[in-house]
């Protein structure tokens, strides 16, 4: 497996940890995006009905 720090021209575990952290944050953002999208799709009709907004608008 290639050393990510060496590929980026940096040395030490700090660069590898930074790249790992960016990856973790990216995965978390994707999970939240998909999760909130699913939640919105599931609850939107009910909320619109409670507010009296027509779904055909």
């Amino acid at each position: 497996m290639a050393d990510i720090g060496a590929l980026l021209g940096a040395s030490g575990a700090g660069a590898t940890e930074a790249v790992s952290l960016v990856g973790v944050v990216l995965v978390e953002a994707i999970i939240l995006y998909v999760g909130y999208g699913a939640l919105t799709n599931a609850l939107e009709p009910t909320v619109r009905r409670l507010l009296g907004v027509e779904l055909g608008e």
Side-chain angles (χ1 to χ4, degrees):
M1 187 173 195
D3 181 15
I4 296 172
L7 292 174
L8 297 175
S11 62
T16 304
E17 288 179 19
V19 171
S20 297
L21 180 61
V22 169
V24 168
V25 170
L26 181 61
V27 169
E28 181 179 284
I30 292 169
I31 291 170
L32 287 172
Y33 181 79
V34 171
Y36 284 134
L39 188 64
T40 299
N41 286 337
L43 296 179
E44 182 180 15
T46 303
V47 172
R48 283 181 174 262
R49 190 173 56 251
L50 289 172
L51 294 175
V53 178
E54 292 295 325
L55 292 175
E57 291 181 354

